[in-house]
Amino acid sequence: MGNIIVLVEHRRGEIRDITFEMLMKGKKLSESTGRPLNAILFGNNVGGMAEQLRSRAKRVVLIEDQKLENFNSETYQQALRNVIEGEKPFLLLIGHTAFGMDLAPSLAALLNAPLATDCIDVMVEDNRIKAIRQPYGGKVNVEVCLKPAEQSMVTVRPASFSVEEYSLDGEIIRVSSPVTGESASKRFVEYVEAAAGELDITQAPILVSVGRGIKGPENIPVVQELADSLGAVLSCSRPVVDKKWLPKDRQVGTSGKTVKPKVYIAIGISGAFQHAAGMKGSGTIIAINRDSKAPIFNIAQYGIVGDLFKIVPALKGKIKEAFG
Amino acid sequence: MEIIVCIKRVPETADADIVIDKTGRDIEREGLVFDINEWDNYAVEEAILLKEKYGGSVTVISLGPEEANETLRKALAMGAYKAIRLTDPAFQDSDGYAIARILSRAIGPLPYDLILTGVQTEDDGYGQVGPTLAEILQIPHASIVNKIEAIENGRARVHRELEGGLDEVVDLELPAVLTIQSGINEPRYVSIMGIRRVAKIEIKVLDLHELSMKPDEAGEPGSMTVVERVFFPPTGEGAQILEGTADEIADKVISILKEKGGVA
Ligand SMILES: Cc1cc2nc3c(=O)[nH]c(=O)nc-3n(C[C@H](O)[C@H](O)[C@H](O)COP(=O)(O)OP(=O)(O)OC[C@H]3O[C@@H](n4cnc5c(N)ncnc54)[C@H](O)[C@@H]3O)c2cc1C
Ligand SMILES: Nc1ncnc2c1ncn2[C@@H]1O[C@H](COP(=O)(O)O)[C@@H](O)[C@H]1O
């Protein structure tokens, strides 16, 4: 019977959260299907990580090789292809992250394995794998069924599964590296850190955050004035930075900053998961959006449905009166 | 340098009411406004910037209905040289894998040094088609590219965007597929005049047969995943919606701010 396998994601010496989230889901699937759960760990000098993972999976397959030190989808693909021949996974879970997005689609094509990407849930019913995806910016859920196959793959959206306490006494299985040569067609060169911005939005107790709903740079003062009236800092979603309406150091989300202010006011932001991941931990979230179905209302505690260009000025006026 | 850009016409749904259609397996498209996929707009601009720097030409390809011609013309107006549209009833219900396979059949015979796609589509959001296409064509790829540093000696040095503001620099052998991240450039604006100017350029249309494909290589038979049902996400607890006049709502927000934000 094929295994359930979680591909461990780590970067610069740290196991990434997505790994533990996938192991949590993998454990539940393993219990409901009776299929063993294995973690596969590739890297260089990552014995410590294997020890750490031993409490979260029954078997940790460890492959160490200097050529696996930094992520390279081609080297990983070569290594995985070999390991998988022995492991015969029924289901391989990989994160829908910068790492998994570079690896999973081409690996699936190579293995001729069905793949469902960016899934928020995975089910196994009568040996059929089903998954829930969330297309259209999170406005609908779609249940997909993977074609029956010996091995299948699912990439998992970060923060889809909450990690519970449990502790296993798993074994570490060392496998010699199947990587023969360095990939010549794709080479890892280096990491480049983002330039430190002028402003640190992570320190602000109150954030007024603006999204594409603001329409254009000429309207930024509308929200800036609201922020000023509250002594808050102005942050934003990614499109606002992409369009150069605000600088990069203001961006909240997976590719920006993770913030946890006491109050986060999201204005004209739909609540895509990459944005939500960066602000879900805020104390209180207030969302202003004219679309009552916007996903942001599922994570906010308070919502105002309406046109921001009417609501924000009214709010600003009252606040000036109240706190002026 | 010959550059191919894959572009998709997608419905704008961030601000629209979505209705699930009668089949329960798709959304109603009637009444939605369509445009070029946001990420693809950045990819077209990047291709044109590369052409301006290194010479060569840009070809845009879209798999889609006749209306996708508008999207292709927009790219032509931005500076693409040739446009190809792939269409066939058999392409209906293709998943990310099947779309990549169909695109690969159209691209295979063409000359190319670089293929650009968007990181993801606004509708399906697979984030899958670019790297899958690369594997089928047996060429390298880099996804989530936010900077093309240099192209020289048959190689490209590009930045991949990782989480939290970190980039990874990779060096690739050409030809290669790059999936382009939003914000990499500032896409040029196309005027109605600009679109009019390219109205006469012929868009080459290819169907299943012309791509030498069999019906079971596309659509649902050629896909790895099948949609079972579409439904609205459970709202959970959801937000408490503040109602009333603008003034009343403002008063409520102020009391929340006092209580939770410590604003005095
Ligand atoms: C690899 C990757 C990384 C990413 N990283 C990030 C990230 O770090 N941060 C991030 O934010 N995004 C990120 N994204 C992008 C993300 O997927 C979404 O595209 C983005 O968050 C959408 O931003 P938005 O909500 O401002 O825009 P939209 O989704 O377009 O939403 C605009 C909202 O404004 C509302 N609106 C419009 N007009 C009004 C009005 N007059 N009054 C009230 N409401 C109005 C609309 O109803 C809509 O809900 C990333 C994407 C990828 C692929
Ligand atoms: N129907 C299509 N026609 C042309 N290109 C497409 C199509 N679907 C997807 N693509 C390309 O693949 C990218 C990623 O799409 P996806 O895998 O659906 O997120 C898009 O940004 C496009 O560049």
Side-chain angles (χ1 to χ4, degrees), chain B residues 41 44-45 48-49 52 74 77-79 185-190:
Chain B
N41 200 32
V44 172
E45 177 66 31
I48 291 162
L49 292 174
E52 286 168 357
K74 185 171 176 185
M78 286 172 78
N185 53 40
E186 291 176 68
R188 65 198 68 194
Y189 174 76
V190 271

Short mmCIF file of all heavy atoms in Angstrom, two decimals, chain B residues 41 44-45 48-49 52 74 77-79 185-190:
data_model
loop_
_atom_site.label_atom_id
_atom_site.label_comp_id
_atom_site.label_asym_id
_atom_site.label_seq_id
_atom_site.Cartn_x
_atom_site.Cartn_y
_atom_site.Cartn_z
N ASN B 41 -0.13 40.58 -18.07
CA ASN B 41 0.12 41.94 -18.54
C ASN B 41 1.57 42.33 -18.22
O ASN B 41 2.27 42.92 -19.04
CB ASN B 41 -0.87 42.88 -17.85
CG ASN B 41 -1.06 44.19 -18.57
OD1 ASN B 41 -0.97 44.24 -19.80
ND2 ASN B 41 -1.30 45.25 -17.82
N VAL B 44 3.87 40.40 -20.64
CA VAL B 44 3.95 41.00 -21.99
C VAL B 44 4.89 42.20 -21.94
O VAL B 44 5.77 42.35 -22.80
CB VAL B 44 2.55 41.42 -22.50
CG1 VAL B 44 2.67 42.20 -23.80
CG2 VAL B 44 1.64 40.20 -22.70
N GLU B 45 4.72 43.04 -20.94
CA GLU B 45 5.58 44.23 -20.82
C GLU B 45 7.05 43.81 -20.71
O GLU B 45 7.92 44.39 -21.36
CB GLU B 45 5.17 45.06 -19.61
CG GLU B 45 6.05 46.29 -19.34
CD GLU B 45 5.96 47.36 -20.42
OE1 GLU B 45 4.88 47.47 -21.04
OE2 GLU B 45 6.97 48.05 -20.67
N ILE B 48 8.45 42.80 -23.99
CA ILE B 48 8.70 43.93 -24.88
C ILE B 48 9.96 44.70 -24.44
O ILE B 48 10.76 45.11 -25.28
CB ILE B 48 7.45 44.84 -24.95
CG1 ILE B 48 6.34 44.08 -25.68
CG2 ILE B 48 7.74 46.15 -25.66
CD1 ILE B 48 4.96 44.62 -25.45
N LEU B 49 10.13 44.83 -23.14
CA LEU B 49 11.36 45.49 -22.65
C LEU B 49 12.60 44.70 -23.07
O LEU B 49 13.62 45.27 -23.47
CB LEU B 49 11.32 45.61 -21.11
CG LEU B 49 10.27 46.57 -20.54
CD1 LEU B 49 10.24 46.48 -19.01
CD2 LEU B 49 10.52 48.01 -20.99
N GLU B 52 13.21 45.23 -26.70
CA GLU B 52 13.80 46.56 -26.95
C GLU B 52 15.29 46.56 -26.61
O GLU B 52 16.08 47.27 -27.22
CB GLU B 52 13.04 47.62 -26.14
CG GLU B 52 11.66 47.92 -26.73
CD GLU B 52 10.74 48.74 -25.83
OE1 GLU B 52 11.13 49.06 -24.68
OE2 GLU B 52 9.64 49.04 -26.27
N LYS B 74 -4.64 43.55 -27.49
CA LYS B 74 -4.08 44.45 -26.50
C LYS B 74 -2.57 44.26 -26.43
O LYS B 74 -1.79 45.22 -26.39
CB LYS B 74 -4.72 44.18 -25.12
CG LYS B 74 -4.30 45.15 -24.07
CD LYS B 74 -5.11 45.00 -22.78
CE LYS B 74 -4.54 45.95 -21.74
NZ LYS B 74 -5.19 45.80 -20.44
N ALA B 77 -0.93 45.69 -29.42
CA ALA B 77 -0.84 47.15 -29.30
C ALA B 77 0.30 47.54 -28.37
O ALA B 77 0.91 48.61 -28.52
CB ALA B 77 -2.17 47.72 -28.80
N MET B 78 0.60 46.70 -27.40
CA MET B 78 1.71 47.00 -26.49
C MET B 78 3.06 46.82 -27.19
O MET B 78 4.07 47.35 -26.72
CB MET B 78 1.65 46.08 -25.26
CG MET B 78 0.54 46.44 -24.28
SD MET B 78 0.35 45.20 -22.96
CE MET B 78 1.73 45.62 -21.88
N GLY B 79 3.08 46.03 -28.27
CA GLY B 79 4.34 45.87 -29.00
C GLY B 79 4.67 44.45 -29.41
O GLY B 79 5.75 44.18 -29.93
N ASN B 185 7.62 45.37 -13.46
CA ASN B 185 7.78 46.54 -14.35
C ASN B 185 6.51 47.38 -14.26
O ASN B 185 5.63 47.08 -13.44
CB ASN B 185 8.03 46.07 -15.79
CG ASN B 185 6.96 45.08 -16.26
OD1 ASN B 185 5.77 45.25 -15.97
ND2 ASN B 185 7.36 44.04 -16.98
N GLU B 186 6.44 48.40 -15.08
CA GLU B 186 5.21 49.20 -15.12
C GLU B 186 4.60 49.05 -16.51
O GLU B 186 5.03 49.74 -17.44
CB GLU B 186 5.51 50.66 -14.80
CG GLU B 186 5.90 50.84 -13.35
CD GLU B 186 6.29 52.28 -13.01
OE1 GLU B 186 5.41 53.15 -13.03
OE2 GLU B 186 7.49 52.50 -12.76
N PRO B 187 3.63 48.15 -16.66
CA PRO B 187 3.07 47.89 -17.99
C PRO B 187 2.59 49.16 -18.67
O PRO B 187 1.96 50.01 -18.03
CB PRO B 187 1.89 46.94 -17.72
CG PRO B 187 2.24 46.28 -16.44
CD PRO B 187 2.97 47.33 -15.63
N ARG B 188 2.93 49.28 -19.96
CA ARG B 188 2.54 50.50 -20.69
C ARG B 188 1.03 50.50 -20.90
O ARG B 188 0.38 49.46 -20.95
CB ARG B 188 3.30 50.60 -22.00
CG ARG B 188 3.01 49.53 -23.00
CD ARG B 188 4.12 49.47 -24.04
NE ARG B 188 5.38 49.01 -23.44
CZ ARG B 188 6.57 49.11 -24.03
NH1 ARG B 188 6.68 49.67 -25.23
NH2 ARG B 188 7.65 48.66 -23.46
N TYR B 189 0.53 51.68 -21.06
CA TYR B 189 -0.90 51.90 -21.24
C TYR B 189 -1.21 51.77 -22.72
O TYR B 189 -0.44 52.23 -23.56
CB TYR B 189 -1.24 53.30 -20.73
CG TYR B 189 -2.65 53.72 -20.97
CD1 TYR B 189 -3.69 53.21 -20.18
CD2 TYR B 189 -2.96 54.61 -21.99
CE1 TYR B 189 -5.00 53.58 -20.42
CE2 TYR B 189 -4.27 54.99 -22.23
CZ TYR B 189 -5.28 54.48 -21.44
OH TYR B 189 -6.57 54.84 -21.68
N VAL B 190 -2.30 51.08 -23.06
CA VAL B 190 -2.68 51.05 -24.48
C VAL B 190 -3.94 51.85 -24.71
O VAL B 190 -4.93 51.68 -24.00
CB VAL B 190 -2.91 49.62 -25.02
CG1 VAL B 190 -1.64 49.02 -25.54
CG2 VAL B 190 -3.54 48.71 -23.99
#
